[in-house]
Amino acid sequence: MKQGHSATPFKAKKGWFLLISLLALVLSLAAGISLGAADIGWATAWKAVFRYEGISEGERIIRELRLPRELGAAIVGASFAVSGAIMQGMTKNPLADSGLLGLNAGASFAIAAFYAAFSDFSYWAVMLVSFAGAGLGAFLVFGIGALSKNGLSPIRMTLAGAAVSALLTALGEGIALYYQLSQDLAFWIAGGVSGTTWTQLKILFPVMTGALLLAFSLARPLTILHLGDEAAKGLGLNTFFIKTVLILIVFVLAGIAVSVVGPVAFVGLMIPHIARFFVGQDYRWVLPGSAILGGTFMVLADTAARLINAPYETPIGAVVSFIGVPFFLYLARKGGREFA
């Protein structure tokens, strides 16, 4: 009985954490659509969202430009964070994120090859090529890591990811140098959600939301998997099947996110550690917490990118890295213990 009484307040605290995080996400979205180079008041922002008439320029700026990009930033941030949490849970590596699967390197390589082959292309074409490149990176990592008869172990996945990422990054940079595409590639790598439109969100939002919900449904097996392969098998878990599904989820979430915003680093690394600091190691809480915190972080980062040097935009990758690099160095020094 005592154990049951002690568990209830802990769960209540976790629930409060998710509720407060959700409120922070809503407030960050409100700030993101209201603040910018154009001076638009809160009243105009409210009207543009809930009673849109399209009469004033301020309403049109918010409805057609700021609102879709901030919603895009929220879903992208959630996707990066959840994919990072899954990778850390699968590999038991506190420094892991979706880049460990070669997604970022694969996308960069594909974009470099695409820029070298074509001079005229649409935003949709860039997204599709980026997603295909992310798929190439994931396929190579998963294929190399699964060649062993012992299966896809965390160490093997980490080593395969590092090797494939190094190869694809070198190939991409070589193509960019040979065809003098370094500036174009650097612009894409810097990242940003400024090109997000309602048309893109209508297609991407349901897919990414579905992948997030599927990830949430596998939170309990992921928690067991985090105990180690032997322990998970002893509890009757089909580790190969669960890992395959989780890797596919990471590919969909991070692959689409990279195709939208570019290979923004550190979101998938930082946010899961912060979520675990508040809710513990149970991934039934870690995954939704990471999704909400990741969305909030990306919205705030995009808002800061628009305000730091207004009316010019600072690359969102630079804003995220400004926070992410010190966090990474601190985490590497502590071995992940402070936030585990």
Side-chain angles (χ1 to χ4, degrees):
M1 290 295 293
K2 290 182 179 180
Q3 186 177 359
H5 283 298
S6 63
T8 303
F10 190 44
K11 285 189 176 182
K13 290 179 181 178
K14 294 177 181 178
W16 276 110
F17 167 73
L18 293 184
L19 185 61
I20 293 172
S21 299
L22 191 59
L23 178 61
L25 174 59
V26 174
L27 292 177
S28 67
L29 285 169
I33 64 175
S34 303
L35 303 175
D39 187 13
I40 301 174
W42 289 90
T44 303
W46 178 271
K47 186 177 180 181
V49 175
F50 297 104
R51 293 167 49 210
Y52 180 66
E53 297 176 355
I55 298 175
S56 68
E57 183 181 1
E59 286 183 51
R60 292 193 295 272
I61 290 175
I62 289 176
R63 189 66 176 237
E64 301 302 326
L65 297 178
R66 290 186 186 174
L67 188 55
R69 74 178 288 170
E70 297 309 329
L71 290 176
I75 191 68
V76 162
S79 299
F80 273 133
V82 170
S83 60
I86 292 174
M87 291 301 301
Q88 290 169 12
M90 287 176 57
T91 63
K92 300 184 68 175
N93 181 355
L95 302 180
D97 65 358
S98 58
L100 189 65
L101 274 182
L103 299 177
N104 293 358
S108 299
F109 165 72
I111 289 295
F114 184 69
Y115 282 177
F118 302 97
S119 58
D120 187 21
F121 41 80
S122 66
Y123 187 78
W124 275 108
V126 173
M127 285 184 59
L128 290 174
V129 169
S130 173
F131 185 73
L136 172 65
F139 175 78
L140 291 175
V141 172
F142 186 74
I144 294 173
L147 284 177
S148 172
K149 61 181 180 180
N150 295 325
L152 189 63
S153 68
I155 295 178
R156 190 171 292 108
M157 185 189 298
T158 301
L159 294 175
V164 170
S165 295
L167 173 63
L168 293 178
T169 298
L171 290 174
E173 291 177 351
I175 292 173
L177 288 172
Y178 183 81
Y179 289 97
Q180 298 181 346
L181 301 170
S182 297
Q183 185 173 356
D184 295 330
L185 192 61
F187 179 79
W188 180 79
I189 290 175
V193 290
S194 59
T196 308
T197 65
W198 287 113
T199 302
Q200 293 166 354
L201 287 179
K202 287 178 182 178
I203 298 174
L204 301 177
F205 201 86
V207 176
M208 300 174 86
T209 302
L212 287 171
L213 293 176
L214 181 58
F216 297 161
S217 71
L218 294 175
R220 185 176 179 276
L222 179 59
T223 303
I224 298 174
L225 198 62
H226 187 65
L227 300 174
D229 282 6
E230 294 301 322
K233 290 177 182 177
L235 293 171
L237 194 68
N238 187 338
T239 57
F240 180 80
F241 175 76
I242 295 298
K243 284 182 179 180
T244 301
V245 176
L246 288 173
I247 287 174
L248 289 175
I249 293 173
V250 171
F251 164 59
V252 171
L253 289 176
I256 295 178
V258 168
S259 71
V260 173
V261 74
V264 175
F266 299 114
V267 179
L269 169 68
M270 293 187 297
I271 301 301
H273 284 287
I274 298 173
R276 276 193 294 270
F277 179 77
F278 287 101
V279 302
Q281 295 288 347
D282 190 340
Y283 279 83
R284 290 175 294 181
W285 295 94
V286 172
L287 293 186
S290 297
I292 299 171
L293 290 177
T296 305
F297 179 79
M298 281 297 288
V299 170
L300 292 176
D302 181 64
T303 304
R306 290 188 287 112
L307 295 176
I308 289 174
N309 192 30
Y312 305 102
E313 283 201 25
T314 303
I316 193 171
V319 176
V320 173
S321 296
F322 182 78
I323 302 171
V325 169
F327 187 94
F328 176 84
L329 295 175
Y330 176 79
L331 196 62
R333 181 172 177 268
K334 295 294 183 180
R337 292 188 302 273
E338 293 295 318
F339 291 87

